[in-house]
Amino acid sequence: KIIKAITSVICFELWFLLHFSESSKPYENADTLISDLKKIKNSKGEQIFKNYQKKQKNIFSLTKAYLKTAKANAQRINRIAENTRTDNPSTKILDLISRLEEISSM
């Protein structure tokens, strides 16, 4: 069997950010990305990650309405990363989500 690493550079929280932002700016570290995440506003103008902490529960309920946006943004930043030969930022979570959607439609 083939095992594929599901990485997200600079950190996992990039995936959350992509639900609301198409930014492809490289991050120095996870703290700077999480700082940007905490400033993000949803369509109602609410800072839904204002008090974000790692291992926070209820993230899916906060982000599920924006999954299509996250997927499009992930495809975009991954293309940029490939073209510029860098991985910051990039995410393979899109591959996992696509596979889970495929399995769920069987």
Side-chain angles (χ1 to χ4, degrees):
K1 295 186 177 187
I2 297 174
I3 296 174
K4 184 175 181 180
I6 304 298
T7 57
S8 197
V9 177
I10 190 111
C11 60
F12 181 77
E13 285 78 7
L14 172 64
W15 177 246
F16 302 149
L17 186 72
L18 291 173
H19 285 73
F20 304 95
S21 172
E22 61 181 271
S23 174
S24 60
K25 82 175 193 181
Y27 283 94
E28 191 174 311
N29 56 48
D31 290 337
T32 57
L33 187 144
I34 292 170
S35 176
D36 281 358
L37 179 67
K38 289 181 176 185
K39 296 172 191 170
I40 291 289
K41 294 181 180 178
N42 66 10
S43 58
K44 297 176 185 175
E46 303 164 326
Q47 284 181 273
I48 61 172
F49 293 105
K50 184 177 181 177
N51 299 311
Y52 175 78
Q53 295 181 14
K54 286 192 173 276
K55 298 183 182 180
Q56 180 176 324
K57 296 179 182 187
N58 80 334
I59 294 294
F60 181 70
S61 64
L62 296 174
T63 60
K64 68 181 175 182
Y66 305 94
L67 182 60
K68 185 176 179 180
T69 300
K71 289 166 53 177
N73 288 339
Q75 287 175 335
R76 183 180 161 278
I77 68 160
N78 287 345
R79 269 194 311 275
I80 292 169
E82 186 177 319
N83 290 340
T84 58
R85 296 185 177 164
T86 183
D87 64 352
N88 184 3
S90 66
T91 184
K92 302 281 175 138
I93 295 173
L94 177 60
D95 298 345
L96 175 62
I97 297 299
S98 297
R99 181 66 179 131
L100 291 172
E101 288 176 332
E102 183 183 304
I103 291 169
S104 71
S105 67
M106 293 180 163

